[in-house]
Amino acid sequence: MSVGPAEGEWKTVSKKGVKKRRGNARERTIAQEVEILSASEGERIQHKIKEAVEELRNSEFWTVCRVQRAVNKYRTAPLATPSGLDVGAAEFLKYKQGDVDHCRTTLDLVCYGIGSFSNSVSSRYQLALLFLLLETLQIPRLCCLLFDPLFTEWEKRFLEVCGMVVIRENEEGKRPINRPTLFYMIHCGKALYNNLLWKNWSPQQLAQTILIGNSFKGIEERLPARILQRDYMYINYILAVTEEAAFPYSNRYLDIFNDTSIHQFPRTKLDSRPREFWEGVAEPTYQQCEDLEIIQNG
């Protein structure tokens, strides 16, 4: 499986027009985000991503993950053509239409909050697991959407050349779905999970939702009940009808995938809730919250 563009497709991008900034830490962060890596540095990062993919692929951790079992009911026939970019440019463009057509009958994958994988080892391994998910679940890369405010311009370009879609605006997790969707949200803020639940607050939508992220049970255990009910009411409401399977414990990947679970919302449990459970839902505001991470747009 390719985790990058085909050999020879990378082009050196000029840094002309990138001005050195002075000022506070926020201004310096913005300046760093628009930096374009050299070709050699880009190749080094791609190599590290490939190494992380192969390491995870051959690990006991990946072997005992329950992701494939969790999404079996959404599986369709295998793709006839690989979804990677090992084919030539002309062949890939020709295949694109078939890839889009196949998206109508398989899972979508939305990734929030993976971080800057060119600068963070943990983010790199989380991206590596994302590549394995796409491969194992046979999700076309054009059906994979990603957003993180920390993405550099080089990282956005890398993901797009890999065939994935970079979301350009901060959705604050408020993405409605109308078909089976896997949300990949490792170590995101509680408000992001809460917003996602609110935006899809119906048995029809939640039954099509699979969420890989921080354990809802863990959130319930660590957070005072009054805070959970006041600030994260949709997480609080959905706990009773959530099926949760924890990622396996691993010393090697403890800081990367700790407290991570696969969450599903079975239709039979959702339908058991009274009508009032689904009515009168108000959009979260988080006026008393301080830990919003990538929630607030602007």
Side-chain angles (χ1 to χ4, degrees):
M1 182 196 76
S2 169
V3 296
E7 186 176 356
E9 285 189 4
W10 281 105
K11 298 178 180 179
T12 302
V13 181
S14 172
K15 294 185 182 181
K16 184 178 180 180
V18 178
K19 298 181 180 179
K20 186 176 182 180
R21 301 182 182 221
R22 295 182 180 180
N24 59 30
R26 174 59 182 162
E27 291 175 330
R28 288 194 294 274
T29 299
I30 294 173
Q32 291 166 359
E33 286 179 6
V34 300
E35 285 290 334
I36 304 299
L37 298 182
S38 66
S40 60
E41 180 65 9
E43 290 173 0
R44 185 186 69 83
I45 294 170
Q46 290 181 72
H47 180 69
K48 286 185 174 293
I49 295 171
K50 290 179 181 179
E51 286 184 332
V53 169
E54 292 309 311
E55 179 187 323
L56 278 174
R57 189 200 308 277
N58 297 313
S59 69
E60 182 181 358
F61 171 82
W62 173 248
T63 301
V64 298
C65 273
R66 303 179 184 179
V67 178
Q68 191 164 358
R69 185 188 310 169
V71 302
N72 271 342
K73 63 182 178 180
Y74 301 116
R75 294 291 297 278
T76 59
L79 288 172
T81 307
S83 59
L85 295 183
D86 287 326
V87 295
E91 289 80 2
F92 175 66
L93 290 174
K94 184 177 180 181
Y95 173 62
K96 253 190 171 183
Q97 182 58 48
D99 209 12
V100 172
D101 291 342
H102 192 80
C103 288
R104 300 192 185 108
T105 57
T106 190
L107 280 167
D108 284 340
L109 194 155
V110 178
C111 173
Y112 291 132
I114 202 171
S116 175
F117 52 87
S118 62
N119 298 303
S120 166
V121 174
S122 292
S123 295
R124 197 146 54 236
Y125 276 94
Q126 290 168 12
L127 178 63
L129 187 68
L130 174 64
F131 277 116
L132 285 178
L133 288 172
L134 293 173
E135 177 188 275
T136 304
L137 305 178
Q138 301 197 347
I139 301 173
R141 292 188 183 182
L142 287 173
C143 296
C144 178
L145 293 80
L146 305 94
F147 175 80
D148 195 296
L150 296 181
F151 282 159
T152 65
E153 291 304 313
W154 182 91
E155 289 167 338
K156 293 175 185 177
R157 175 176 168 81
F158 170 80
L159 294 170
E160 289 174 340
V161 174
C162 283
M164 295 178 274
V165 179
V166 176
I167 300 171
R168 295 293 173 169
E169 298 292 331
N170 185 355
E171 301 174 334
E172 301 181 347
K174 301 170 185 176
R175 170 171 284 269
I177 65 168
N178 56 17
R179 56 193 309 278
T181 303
L182 171 60
F183 286 91
Y184 185 68
M185 304 166 61
I186 305 293
H187 301 323
C188 287
K190 294 179 288 293
L192 198 64
Y193 302 123
N194 197 56
N195 276 3
L196 177 65
L197 293 170
W198 165 75
K199 195 63 178 180
N200 294 282
W201 197 250
S202 75
Q204 295 78 15
Q205 289 168 291
L206 289 175
Q208 298 186 87
T209 301
I210 304 171
L211 193 156
I212 298 178
N214 286 12
S215 166
F216 283 7
K217 292 179 182 176
I219 292 174
E220 181 185 30
E221 292 170 358
R222 290 187 297 269
L223 204 63
R226 62 179 181 83
I227 301 297
L228 183 63
Q229 294 166 10
R230 184 194 69 192
D231 298 334
Y232 310 109
M233 58 185 293
Y234 296 102
I235 297 177
N236 181 54
Y237 287 161
I238 208 64
L239 280 166
V241 292
T242 301
E243 288 188 356
E244 180 175 326
F247 265 28
Y249 178 86
S250 169
N251 282 325
R252 173 72 179 91
Y253 307 113
L254 182 60
D255 293 335
I256 303 170
F257 299 112
N258 64 302
D259 194 41
T260 299
S261 292
I262 307 166
H263 304 81
Q264 291 184 279
F265 315 101
R267 183 61 186 263
T268 54
K269 291 186 177 182
L270 297 171
D271 287 339
S272 71
R273 301 288 93 182
R275 180 184 301 176
E276 295 77 19
F277 184 79
W278 306 107
E279 294 177 345
V281 292
E283 182 173 357
T285 58
Y286 308 110
Q287 295 179 357
Q288 302 181 60
C289 295
E290 297 179 358
D291 179 25
L292 293 183
E293 297 191 15
I294 71 169
I295 285 296
Q296 291 179 320
N297 188 5

